Amino acid sequence: MSQISVNNLTFYYEGSYDNIFEDVTFQIDTDWKLGFIARNGRGKTTFLKLLTGQYEYLGSISASVVFDYFPFEVGDRSLVVVDAIEKIYPDYEFWKVCRELGLLKMDPEILYRPFSELSNGEQTRVMLALLFSKDNHFLLIDEPTNHLDLESREVLKDYLNSKKGFILVSHDRNFMDGCVDHVLAINKTNIEVQQGNFSSWWENKKRQDTYELSENERLKKDIKRLTESARRTKQWADDVEAAKIGFRSLKYERSADLRAYIGEKSRRMQMRRKNLERRQQREIEEKSNLLKNLETVEDLKIMPLRHYKEKLAVMENCTIAYVGKPCGNGVAANGQREIVSGLDLEVRQGERVFLKGSNGCGKSSILKTILKEVYEKENKDSKLCLAESSLPVLVQGRIETPNQLIVSYCSQDTSMLKGTLKEYAQEHGIDETLFFTLLRKLDFSRLQLEKRIEDYSGGQKKKVLLAGSLCTKAHLYIWDEPLNFIDVFSRLQIEELILKFQPTMLLVEHDKKFMENVATRIIDI
């Protein structure tokens, strides 16, 4: 076991007005299974890239291990997996990769399939198998659960729990609880390291926040009381001083003694006033040390509409396919690649229906099919609305949505986002003031609101889509993996929003706790 030492680390991006890290110092052990927690845009991915030497920085980072970053660039994805591995890491040991694939519950035959044909979950596990096959390497694992189905997450969670020597960035609470033994958290004003998993860190944070809020209220009352006491004492001292001065004109025998008595009384009053002011200043200083890391999570709002029809979407015995070229990979002779077959589904007013199933089973295709039906019924260009080059086709079965149904859609894909937030709001007909207000509540600073969307982190881009959806008054909200890249605090905000306003929703999401807390019905595909 050795240590990774970070000393006086300071880093900022060229042209940026503020530091990402400023004079940061901490140590971690290379045997730890370290969970990395922070709000979107706080610098998690940046820190991992600093460890791998991709950026110049002030301060020092010392370690006796080699860092490997996940996900890495595969390059030519048309190559079969084993050839892609050899091209990336020529010194890999085949038997060790096979051993890791076995632990990840994968058949080694996957090594002889084209990398491009693997699902997101399969690609993730192949890359991790390669990285963990190396000795004396410390892994920097950046959000491996994005796009992974529940079953794949459970397999990956058990696998990582059997390993040691990594930093894991993830916002999935259930996943983190199952595979980390320490937590590294970037707070507003500092970085802290704690022993335990996400839940223990979260409980500690809530206790600390509760204590600081209570202490803050007590100190506010003390400061108010001391301020009033100091004001009264100053007035009394001034009155006594004035009385002492008045006695100077008296010619009685005892006037000198009275002046001495009053003078001593004045001196004591002035001392008492100064002591009160010192205590007041001390309380103010103590108060200023509180609440610096308190995450302000404001309530979000959504504007669901109620439709006159009870059923907002119905699918009966539906078969969904994509149009493709005939080949030997599941594409029929007519050029259609079947995705879903014999599907029955309905979404009623007030329901929050989650689609559950393995990667590639057709969950997103079902959402797009319903959206396509709605848009075409309203005479809208479905390709433009969905920002997709390839849309599913209904091969057989019946799909029905009521007339005048308003749908708000949040895509899992953020690659089409570009330009400024003002341009995005104008393009999508969104109220700019409301849009910016929601983004501020989702932890966007005023400076971030002025940046181009291309410069945002993955989580910030997803928040743009979510805020845009929340700005839309709709009968049905269709969200496709809305929580990818989204930080824990914002996930809790969104949970509370849904439970409070109870919109009608059709969702695909693999965050187990979120689904358990929000769903009214779960459908296995």
Side-chain angles (χ1 to χ4, degrees):
M1 180 179 69
S2 60
Q3 282 198 331
I4 300 168
S5 295
V6 178
N7 295 292
N8 308 117
L9 174 67
T10 298
F11 174 78
Y12 61 90
Y13 285 106
E14 193 69 34
S16 177
Y17 297 106
D18 50 354
N19 291 335
I20 304 296
F21 302 109
E22 186 167 357
D23 200 25
V24 170
T25 297
F26 62 91
Q27 288 79 40
I28 58 177
D29 287 342
T30 55
D31 278 349
W32 287 355
K33 297 178 278 194
L34 188 67
F36 197 4
I37 299 172
R39 298 208 74 166
N40 295 131
R42 287 269 173 89
K44 298 183 298 296
T45 298
T46 298
F47 177 71
L48 299 186
K49 290 183 177 180
L50 289 173
L51 290 179
T52 58
Q54 295 187 41
Y55 301 133
E56 293 184 1
Y57 54 86
L58 300 176
S60 66
I61 299 174
S62 60
S64 60
V65 292
V66 177
F67 293 109
D68 266 327
Y69 180 79
F70 169 93
F72 52 81
E73 183 56 48
V74 173
D76 186 354
R77 290 175 171 254
S78 65
L79 294 173
V80 298
V81 173
V82 69
D83 291 338
I85 286 175
E86 186 166 8
K87 194 169 184 178
I88 296 165
Y89 295 111
D91 296 331
Y92 84 100
E93 295 185 64
F94 182 80
W95 72 271
K96 287 185 178 180
V97 173
C98 291
R99 177 193 64 196
E100 299 303 319
L101 287 173
L103 294 173
L104 283 161
K105 298 184 179 180
M106 299 182 76
D107 192 321
E109 69 83 24
I110 201 170
L111 294 170
Y112 301 100
R113 289 168 55 190
F115 191 88
S116 60
E117 292 184 9
L118 305 185
S119 69
N120 288 320
E122 289 171 333
Q123 290 180 4
T124 293
R125 285 185 277 176
V126 163
M127 284 191 277
L128 285 173
L130 175 59
L131 294 180
F132 273 110
S133 70
K134 300 178 177 185
D135 297 324
N136 301 318
H137 282 231
F138 190 87
L139 267 58
L140 311 174
I141 308 171
D142 198 357
E143 304 207 42
T145 56
N146 287 330
H147 306 296
L148 292 192
D149 59 57
L150 283 171
E151 183 180 352
S152 297
R153 290 186 187 209
E154 289 298 312
V155 170
L156 187 55
K157 180 178 72 175
D158 292 341
Y159 176 75
L160 290 178
N161 191 41
S162 70
K163 300 295 182 178
K164 61 182 180 180
F166 59 80
I167 295 177
L168 169 68
V169 177
S170 177
H171 303 296
D172 186 319
R173 293 158 281 176
N174 178 67
F175 185 79
M176 290 277 274
D177 272 347
C179 59
V180 304
D181 56 22
H182 286 77
V183 167
L184 174 67
I186 303 179
N187 299 318
K188 282 184 175 180
T189 60
N190 69 335
I191 290 182
E192 64 175 345
V193 178
Q194 286 188 22
Q195 185 175 5
N197 58 14
F198 171 83
S199 290
S200 64
W201 171 82
W202 183 245
E203 286 302 315
N204 288 338
K205 176 161 182 59
K206 287 195 294 184
R207 278 197 292 268
Q208 181 66 23
D209 289 349
T210 300
Y211 166 76
E212 290 195 5
L213 285 167
S214 173
E215 191 69 4
N216 188 61
E217 288 302 311
R218 182 187 69 79
L219 290 172
K220 279 166 61 177
K221 291 177 182 177
D222 283 354
I223 291 167
K224 184 178 179 181
R225 176 179 57 78
L226 290 168
T227 302
E228 180 60 26
S229 295
R231 186 193 62 78
R232 287 198 307 268
T233 303
K234 180 181 183 299
Q235 184 62 51
W236 294 338
D238 290 345
D239 291 345
V240 171
E241 186 68 18
K244 182 183 76 171
I245 294 170
F247 268 104
R248 289 174 182 169
S249 62
L250 295 176
K251 297 181 179 179
Y252 297 111
E253 184 179 343
R254 296 181 60 197
S255 63
D257 293 337
L258 282 169
R259 284 200 302 273
Y261 167 75
I262 295 171
E264 177 62 20
K265 184 177 180 182
S266 174
R267 186 185 67 80
R268 290 180 179 178
M269 294 294 286
Q270 293 289 356
M271 285 183 61
R272 183 182 176 193
R273 187 192 73 177
K274 289 179 181 178
N275 285 335
L276 284 168
E277 288 175 347
R278 277 194 291 268
R279 283 179 57 194
Q280 178 188 359
Q281 187 59 38
R282 189 164 60 246
E283 301 283 71
I284 290 171
E285 288 174 0
E286 286 182 26
K287 184 175 179 296
S288 69
N289 291 324
L290 300 174
L291 308 182
K292 289 184 175 180
N293 288 321
L294 183 70
E295 298 289 349
T296 52
V297 181
E298 298 184 53
D299 289 343
L300 299 172
K301 289 185 178 180
I302 195 170
M303 296 169 280
L305 301 174
R306 184 160 186 88
H307 201 276
Y308 63 90
K309 287 285 187 77
E310 183 64 22
K311 295 180 181 180
L312 301 189
V314 176
M315 301 179 76
E316 291 182 354
N317 194 31
C318 288
T319 297
I320 301 170
Y322 283 88
V323 176
K325 295 179 181 180
C327 66
N329 293 319
V331 180
N334 61 4
Q336 292 179 343
R337 180 165 53 93
E338 192 175 291
I339 300 296
V340 177
S341 179
L343 173 70
D344 293 316
L345 168 72
E346 70 176 29
V347 180
R348 292 176 174 269
Q349 195 97 231
E351 286 191 314
R352 298 183 294 275
V353 179
F354 279 69
L355 302 184
K356 177 184 174 185
S358 60
N359 291 127
C361 71
K363 301 184 296 297
S364 294
S365 299
I366 294 168
L367 302 187
K368 291 174 187 176
T369 303
I370 294 173
L371 285 162
K372 185 180 176 186
E373 170 70 16
V374 172
Y375 291 143
E376 290 178 350
K377 183 173 284 189
E378 297 298 319
N379 295 316
K380 294 181 181 179
D381 184 345
S382 57
K383 285 191 177 182
L384 178 63
C385 294
L386 287 168
E388 299 283 353
S389 59
S390 176
L391 291 174
V393 295
L394 185 67
V395 177
Q396 68 177 41
R398 182 177 75 90
I399 179 169
E400 183 179 328
T401 59
N403 294 326
Q404 300 176 333
L405 180 70
I406 301 174
V407 173
S408 178
Y409 176 56
C410 179
S411 169
Q412 65 171 275
D413 181 24
T414 61
S415 63
M416 70 291 191
L417 294 176
K418 60 182 179 180
T420 66
L421 291 173
K422 286 188 177 182
E423 291 168 347
Y424 181 86
Q426 290 169 0
E427 182 184 351
H428 292 83
I430 297 170
D431 182 283
E432 187 180 306
T433 301
L434 177 60
F435 184 48
F436 277 46
T437 300
L438 284 169
L439 288 172
R440 289 282 286 150
K441 289 184 176 183
L442 287 166
D443 199 45
F444 274 64
S445 67
R446 296 191 185 280
L447 182 63
Q448 287 168 337
L449 294 177
E450 298 172 5
K451 293 180 179 179
R452 293 185 66 82
I453 301 175
E454 298 97 307
D455 297 329
Y456 288 161
S457 69
Q460 289 171 324
K461 288 178 180 178
K462 204 58 186 276
K463 286 178 180 179
V464 170
L465 294 180
L466 280 168
S469 179
L470 294 175
C471 285
T472 306
K473 294 181 180 180
H475 300 109
L476 176 62
Y477 291 82
I478 297 182
W479 288 0
D480 194 356
E481 300 193 30
L483 301 186
N484 282 346
F485 304 103
I486 297 289
D487 63 70
V488 170
F489 298 95
S490 298
R491 290 183 185 218
L492 292 170
Q493 272 180 297
I494 295 164
E495 272 186 27
E496 291 172 6
L497 161 86
I498 293 172
L499 294 174
K500 181 178 180 180
F501 292 94
Q502 300 188 352
T504 304
M505 307 187 81
L506 179 62
L507 305 95
V508 173
E509 178 51 55
H510 304 299
D511 184 317
K512 187 176 181 181
K513 283 189 181 294
F514 180 81
M515 184 164 61
E516 290 173 348
N517 294 341
V518 168
T520 59
R521 188 154 55 94
I522 299 171
I523 297 176
D524 282 306
I525 304 300

